Structures are given as C-alpha cells and as structure tokens.
Amino acid sequence: MTLFSQAFRRVGSAKVDPVLVALWISLILLALIWITPFVFIVFTALKSNATVMGASAFMPPTELAFENFAAAWRRGNFSTTAFNGVVITVIKVPLGLFISAMAAYALAKVPMRMNKALFALFLFGTMLPFQVMLAPIFRQVNAFGLINTYPGIILPYLAFGIPYQVFILYGFFSAVPKELSEAARIDGASHFTIFRRIFLPISLPVLSALLILDFVATWNEFAMALVILQDPKMWTLPLGLMSFQSQFSSDYGELNAAIIMTVLPAALVYLMFQRYFVAGLTSGAVKE
Amino acid sequence: MASVDISGVKKSYGAVAVMHGVDVAIGDGEFVILVGPSGCGKSTLLRMVAGLETVTGGQIAIDGRRVNELEPKDRDIAMVFQNYALYPQMTVAQNMGFALELAGRSKAEIKAEVDKAAEILSLTALLDRKPGQLSGGQRQRVAMGRAIVRHPKVFLFDEPLSNLDAKLRVKMRAEIKALHQRLKSTIIYVTHDQIEAMTMADKIVVMNAGRVEQIGTPLELYDNPANLFVATFMGSPAMNILPAVTQAGAVLVAGVATLPIVVSVPPGTKIAYGIRPDEITIDPESPVKAEVVVVEPTGSETHITARLAGHEITLISKARVALAPGDQIGLSFSPNKHHLFDDATGRRLEASGGMAA
C-alpha cells in the first residue's frame, strides 16, 4: 500500500494533503459518472431481450447472451459497413496527416514570400463549419460523379480535416529550434530529408494525438457520410448503426451489441497509440 | 584545412544595414575568435560563412573559392551550435554519423569515422545513448564529434560554451584548444566572453556594431588596443579610462595626477588616459589620493574599486590588503604602461619620444 498512501502526500512530505485527497475523490467520482453509460451498454449488450425488459438496467447479466453480437453483425450488415469504415479511415487518416505535416513544415520552416497569407488561408479553413457546406459539397461531389464512391467521401474529409491538423502541427514545428534544421542543412540534408528524418520522428507525440482524434472523428463521422454515401453497400458504421436502430429499436440487447462493435475499434486505436502521448521526446535536442 | 577570406562583407535586413563591410583574412589552420558585445554582428558573420544567412555585399571565399551562393552542405564546413542542436531521436552514434550517411558513405566507413571521433572525444561509452540521457558537457562533445567526423575544411563554433557552468566551461575550453592542436584545422569561433577569446585564439577579431574594431593576437590587442572600445572590451577587470589634458611634457590625469608623458598632440588637448587595473599600485607616499569604495578579495588577488577625483577606478593588488570602504589610499600609476586615446575619435594616440607604451 506504500504507493497508494503516497498518492495523498506531497512529494517528500509525510503529512496527508487534504487538497490531494479531495482531488482524488472528485477524480474517482468523475470517472464513475463517465463510465456509467459504458457499463450500462456492456451489460445490456450481454442480456437477452427478455432480461433487459424484466430486470434493472444496472443489474449485471446473469447469463451472457453473446449471440446478440453475432445477430447484430448479421442483421446490421456489419461486414459491409465495417469494411467501408476501415477502407475510408485507413486511407484518409494517414494520408491527411502526411499532407498536413508536409504543409505545416513548409509553412513553418521553408522561407517563402506567401507563408503568412497561406497560413491564414488554412486558419480560415478551420473556421468553416462543414454542416453549412453540406449542400454545396453534395453538388460538387455529384458534379464530379463521385457520389457513393470512396474518393467522393475521402476528398471532403481531407479538405475539412487538414486545416485543423496544419494549425496544430504548424505550432509544433515552429517551436522546434531553428538550429536543429540548420544543423541538418549543414550535414547535407534536403528539406524533405529534414522533414522525414528529423521533424516526423520528433513530432510523434503530436502526430499520434492527431491520429487518434482524426481516427475517431473519421470512424464516427455521420452527416457527410449520410449525404454522400446513399447506397447501403457504401455505408459506414454510423450509418449502419442508425439504420439498425430504426429497424430493431426494441431489441436492446442487439442494439447495444451493435454500439459496442461500432465504438470498439476507436477505443482500440486509442489504446494502441496513447503510449506515444509521452511528452519529452525532444528532450536533449537543445539546451533550454 | 583551408583559408577563409572575408572581404568587404555587408549584411542588411531590408533597409536596415547591420554589417558595414567586414574584412578578415583567416590563414590555414588558424584559430580565429570573433568577439564583441551582443548584437555586434559576430554570429551573423559566422552564419554567413556557414551559408545560413545570405551575404548582401562583398565576398566570402573558402580555400580561394567564392562560396557566397553555395548551399551550406557544399561549403565543406561543420558548425557547432550554442544549444548543441543534436537530433533528439537519434543515438550519439547516429547523430555523429548522420552527415556521412547523407553523403552516401558505407556503414563500415561511417562506423570507423564515428569510432575514431568518439575516441578523440572520449564518447565511446556513450555511443548508444540518446542526447536526452547526456549531461551538458557530453552533449557539447557530441556536437563537436558531429563536426569532426566530416573532416571539414573549416570548423565554425557559435558560442559553444555559453550554456555550460563555469567549471565545465574552463575544462571544455582546454579540450577545444587541444582538439585544434591535434586536428590542426581552421576554426572560426564566436564568443562574447573576452576571456575565452584571450585564452584560446591565435587571432582575435574584435567586432562592434557591425564593424571590425581590431584584429590581432590576444596579446597585441591587450597591449596595443587600437581604440577605446577594444581597450575597455579586452581584459577583466576592464581598463580604467580617465579624462586627461595634455601639458608640455606631461599629462594631467583626472585633474589631480600629473604624469610625465610626452604626447604628439599640442598642450591643452583633451584626451583619454587608460591604464589597466594591475598597473596601478597602492603607494602611501603618492600625492594622488583616492577613496576606497569596494574591496573584492578573489583569493589570489584583491580587486579594489576606488574613487579618484569623482571617477571610479579599479585596481588589482597582488598583496593582501586590509582596507575598508571609506579609507584613503595613495595611488601610483606604472610609468610607460598607459594607453592614450583621442577624446573625439577614440583612436589610440602614440606617445612620441622614448616614452611609447
């Protein structure tokens, strides 16, 4: 218990700090509130419909009804929507990040006449809510004949995802000491080499944070997908889930199983990449 | 190894001119230090030699070849930065071998060069570490190693010791000097620390406000400063400068001390009289009296600040002295150790006759 008891004390102090105790209590309370819906969803997903109707919502399931998952997968056409979601996300997220990182590097580190104006243009992109653009985008995508295609949804996703990522990465790259790229220039590196060998590795924490955010946002995106992907064969998971909900809204067990299957990949990606969230990857580069 | 010729180099940012025609000739294997106060243009000049800043006017030539338009990598130079600028995600060995890797050298070649440099800098045990796991002095050595492996024609150092603590700085100073003697390479080194310049350089270039004030060996600058700026910048504590008036066959210093100095300017001219703190001695017999203001014992010597006719002067006493602020002391100025400067231009005045300093 030494580790636990240390949590309530200031570093190097033997006395219990009431502020720390209060912080811990509020943290635990907050975590409980946060986790309640998930517990509810998981429990419900594992109950048969009769149990859901008959017992309290927070009662743990007595017999695990795993068949809910199989049934929901089949009836909700998950193999199609999950495949579409994977294709779109796996292409869009890394491609968008790569483009954003290159743009941010150029804006931050390559001296150009138009740097400020171009960056302002990107900033402007972050200010446009895409909901108001849905109709024009639909017309545009339609004009290109890309309705119900992967490029038709990936291109608008890129357009709306990149400005924000450029904004974040520009800030990060600007803070990298100029001596680092100068040293690399003297060592004989081209801009692309400096970008690939120096800037990408040291921005791993930022890139992985953006990757998680972008993965979750892309995976769960609904409105644009609803407008552009009209053929059920092209649907992504959120669209499939909506359709499932409207068809089988009374089958709570299967509905919640479907919800879990929809959010699980996002949670897994988060767990995989959150270890790169560690700060201090640049420590030791330069003396602060 | 190579010579570097900087001739008539100018730099301006838009309409603002920061460097007004700098000429420095650096011989093969010379250790040249650019020294001056912050903002004097010494780092800008170094960065122009490196190719990190464009040259507005004039020419920079390395080994006789004009390099103004060349990319840094094509100039055959290596640079050590004040904040080290190590690649944080690479190990020490990767940091040092990066330039060779980019030049397309084989793995075995890179390893051999890196091992050799690591040996010189005693970094062998640290080759697999990341910069974050190293101390300041070790990082500084890695930065030097990165320069050494390339066998550049010219090494450029931009205030490499400024981020180290005082003790380590003295040690690294000796290491860099030893490295220069071993590699016999041409080095251009920028510092604002005149002690670093005095102790390490073959040749010092004193810069001020985008101009070269004087170029010479450390002792030349110390003994024969060309003007008031160099006189007060080189040497610590700084040279005392007192107002003086010439008389027939003598100079009246600060209105109180008449010193027998023959000057080339007519009597009655206002000049500046300079004398180093270690050329002033306490002499109870002397008619020149001053009041002690501060006494700073350093152990080996004592620095005394005193007020002489309203002017603060510093003197160094090798002997231990029992003085307190407010005490009256007599001062005597070593003859022939003075420096005289024109009051208006600040230029050095050569004393005429056999009394030259």
Side-chain angles (χ1 to χ4, degrees), chain A residues 177-180 182-190 193 197-199 201-202 281-288, chain B residues 47 51-52 71-73 77 79 81 83-90 98-99 101-102 131-132 139 146 150 163:
Chain A
K178 71 176 192 309
E179 285 84 357
L180 214 54
E182 286 175 351
R185 269 179 74 193
I186 291 175
D187 274 350
S190 62
T193 310
R197 298 288 305 272
I198 314 287
F199 278 72
I202 64 176
L281 266 186
T282 57
S283 68
V286 296
K287 177 120 178 177
E288 274 89 31
Chain B
R47 291 169 57 82
L52 299 172
E71 275 289 300
K73 64 182 162 80
I77 43 113
M79 186 153 170
F81 293 87
N83 57 13
Y84 322 136
L86 301 178
Y87 312 127
Q89 79 284 11
M90 299 185 195
F98 190 58
E101 190 194 324
L102 292 178
R139 287 181 204 174
R146 200 164 60 177
R150 302 181 49 200
N163 282 345

Side-chain angles (χ1 to χ4, degrees), chain A:
Chain A
M1 287 306 278
T2 50
L3 189 87
F4 190 67
S5 59
Q6 199 54 47
F8 299 118
R9 293 170 167 81
R10 276 172 197 276
V11 178
S13 167
K15 273 208 317 212
V16 170
D17 186 337
V19 176
L20 277 180
V21 174
L23 278 175
W24 273 109
I25 290 172
S26 34
L27 189 67
I28 290 163
L29 279 177
L30 215 66
L32 281 179
I33 294 170
W34 213 251
I35 208 152
T36 308
F38 291 100
V39 171
F40 171 75
I41 291 171
V42 172
F43 282 0
T44 313
L46 291 167
K47 289 173 189 171
S48 68
N49 219 22
T51 329
V52 173
M53 295 304 180
S56 153
F58 288 98
M59 197 93 118
T62 41
E63 308 157 31
L64 300 180
F66 283 117
E67 62 274 13
N68 280 344
F69 287 88
W73 183 274
R74 211 174 43 248
R75 290 167 71 180
N77 207 8
F78 265 70
S79 37
T80 305
T81 57
F83 177 77
N84 289 334
V86 167
V87 169
I88 290 167
T89 312
V90 162
I91 294 176
K92 188 266 157 173
V93 173
L95 183 65
L97 265 181
F98 187 67
I99 295 172
S100 304
M102 285 206 294
Y105 175 84
L107 287 174
K109 292 291 164 182
V110 182
M112 292 181 293
R113 217 174 272 269
M114 301 286 284
N115 276 11
K116 286 242 165 71
L118 283 172
F119 182 62
L121 201 65
F122 274 106
L123 267 186
F124 189 60
T126 65
M127 296 168 195
L128 289 173
F130 82 91
Q131 287 85 348
V132 304
M133 306 282 288
L134 275 179
I137 287 174
F138 176 79
R139 290 190 53 169
Q140 194 69 47
V141 173
N142 197 22
F144 283 125
L146 293 174
I147 296 291
N148 287 328
T149 61
Y150 291 134
I153 188 79
I154 288 173
L155 289 173
Y157 276 175
L158 286 174
F160 283 96
I162 284 173
Y164 176 71
Q165 297 177 347
V166 168
F167 176 63
I168 300 286
L169 286 167
Y170 175 84
F172 184 81
F173 287 162
S174 299
V176 174
K178 71 176 192 309
E179 285 84 357
L180 214 54
S181 32
E182 286 175 351
R185 269 179 74 193
I186 291 175
D187 274 350
S190 62
H191 267 305
F192 189 73
T193 310
I194 297 174
F195 170 70
R196 200 175 58 85
R197 298 288 305 272
I198 314 287
F199 278 72
L200 280 190
I202 64 176
S203 53
L204 265 186
V206 182
L207 286 173
S208 52
L210 288 175
L211 186 131
I212 291 172
L213 291 174
D214 198 34
F215 184 96
V216 174
T218 309
W219 188 258
N220 292 338
E221 204 286 325
F222 182 78
M224 190 118 66
L226 183 68
V227 171
I228 290 171
L229 305 175
Q230 300 182 340
D231 180 355
K233 286 202 187 76
M234 292 305 293
W235 278 357
T236 55
L237 279 160
L239 296 181
L241 190 64
M242 181 199 62
S243 154
F244 185 93
Q245 192 176 4
S246 50
Q247 285 180 60
F248 311 104
S249 56
S250 57
D251 198 336
Y252 290 111
E254 287 185 26
L255 181 58
N256 283 287
I259 292 173
I260 290 178
M261 288 189 290
T262 304
V263 301
L264 199 61
L268 285 180
V269 166
Y270 180 82
L271 289 177
M272 270 160 57
F273 283 91
Q274 57 98 26
R275 68 193 176 97
Y276 292 111
F277 265 10
V278 286
L281 266 186
T282 57
S283 68
V286 296
K287 177 120 178 177
E288 274 89 31

